[in-house]
Amino acid sequence: MPLHLYRHAFSNLNRNIWILSLAMFINRSGSMVLLFTTLYMTRDLHFSIAEAGFVMSFYGMGSVLGSYLGGWLTDRKNHFDIMVSALISSGLILLSLLVITTPAGMAAVIFIYALAADSFRPANAAAIAEYSTPENRTRSVGLMRLAVNLGFAVGPAVGGFVALYLGYRWLFVIDACTGFLAALMLFLYLPRPATIPGRHKNEVLADSSTSAYRDLRYLFFIALVAVYGTIFFQIFASIPQYFKTVSGYDEDRIGLLMALNGILVVIIEMPLIAKLEKSKKIFRFIVIGVFCLPAAFALLYFGEHRLSFAILYTFVITLSEIFAMPFMMNYALSRPKKERQGQYSALYSIAYGIATIAAPSLGLGIADRYGFDRLFVILIVSSLFLSLGFLWMAGKEKTEHTESAG
């Protein structure tokens, strides 16, 4: 892409967005625990696979509850205190895994850790909304996603080295320390907003008509996001298993295909968003992203296990993420009143939390019972129906713009 697109993509963003993004990169660079905890439990602690699965299932439940709690707090406190507290408390909780080694104990810790860690998300979303404008909000979201993807690129590589040469327990220490470091950065460089809610805020919160739970169009949007996430997260839930057991790829080849997803996001997303963000009709870009889903799974269905088709699948599924996710979050941040930002953002985070829980059980469950070809057909059909829902939202968006123009 032309160099000027990259310059424009990163220009005129609020200084605080850069601080938030750097803190997110630091935190996500240490987020290697979830990738290796199952191996730690089965290899070092000698848990059965069923016991390890039981423990990790508590992460999804904690994530959903944490997102709700974070949203509730964000509407009543300030996002600064919640983000810093979430980073510090989740790090301290994680360190307890150094001494807690029973299945029940680890399940409890994982649940509380996820609750604390994911209470960060609605507060972070509120901070993005606070420090961005409608004109650069999608790019602000894109910069945050860039930081997350870079962090996830660093984390697994470092985590594998640490687990191999230092031992799994050092992963908990490093992850906790990166959380503490991210909290320190926010504490030192991010301004702390006033905590006095004021009469107007109390009046908005007391008015049930402003609640996200009364916004039927937004609730329909959240349901669509949850379905989208469940389908998209097959890239992590079932596709690696397909590449290993059906296509016969080795772990290094699978790892490179997964890394390609992150690399493409880093290279393409920000300049593409910079080109598209001036359009007020954001749902047409979401629809493009959703239509990429059936195309991606069709490549696997007809690809006959060839590597070229696996690479094309990775490219197309990444385009789905690039087109859909930033504009979805833009809608979630832009729709509510400022005083309801936490509640709306919490529902958005919960949608992905539900998708995280549903994706592996549905994807691997269908593949185990009916085979991967049947799974791909179901994903293709489901994606096409999902696109109809977002097309309806796009039509409503067009109506809103026509009414406001009139």
Side-chain angles (χ1 to χ4, degrees), residues 139-283:
R139 280 192 298 131
S140 298
V141 171
L143 182 62
M144 199 70 60
R145 282 175 40 78
L146 175 65
V148 170
N149 277 281
L150 286 174
F152 277 132
V154 172
V158 174
F161 178 86
V162 170
L164 182 62
Y165 292 102
L166 299 178
Y168 288 100
R169 294 191 177 204
W170 276 99
L171 297 175
F172 304 135
V173 176
I174 293 172
D175 198 347
C177 288
T178 56
F180 298 152
L181 184 59
L184 179 62
M185 183 177 178
L186 294 181
F187 184 80
L188 293 177
Y189 297 108
L190 195 70
R192 184 177 185 274
T195 57
I196 302 174
R199 181 180 177 183
H200 174 67
K201 184 168 188 175
N202 288 332
E203 288 175 348
V204 173
L205 292 176
D207 182 4
S208 62
S209 67
T210 65
S211 171
Y213 301 103
R214 300 287 293 273
D215 188 343
L216 297 182
R217 188 174 300 176
Y218 186 73
L219 292 177
F220 180 67
F221 166 75
I222 290 299
L224 295 178
V225 171
V227 175
Y228 173 85
T230 302
I231 297 172
F232 175 81
F233 287 153
Q234 298 306 318
I235 190 174
F236 308 114
S238 63
I239 299 305
Q241 187 74 10
Y242 168 77
F243 285 154
K244 177 66 177 178
T245 60
V246 180
S247 298
Y249 298 162
D250 293 330
E251 284 79 1
D252 57 348
R253 182 172 291 183
I254 296 171
L256 289 173
L257 286 169
M258 295 299 103
L260 179 60
N261 168 252
I263 292 169
L264 289 171
V265 169
V266 170
I267 294 173
I268 298 173
E269 183 167 305
M270 282 296 287
L272 183 62
I273 288 174
K275 188 74 174 176
L276 301 178
E277 71 171 348
K278 291 182 181 179
S279 174
K280 294 182 179 180
K281 298 178 181 179
I282 63 174
F283 272 96

Side-chain angles (χ1 to χ4, degrees), residues 319-345:
L319 286 181
S320 174
E321 174 184 3
I322 290 171
F323 274 103
M325 290 188 181
F327 291 100
M328 285 177 178
M329 190 168 183
N330 185 338
Y331 181 76
L333 294 179
S334 302
R335 187 166 178 82
K337 292 178 178 290
K338 179 180 178 181
E339 294 81 6
R340 289 288 189 182
Q341 194 75 62
Q343 189 180 67
Y344 274 73
S345 298

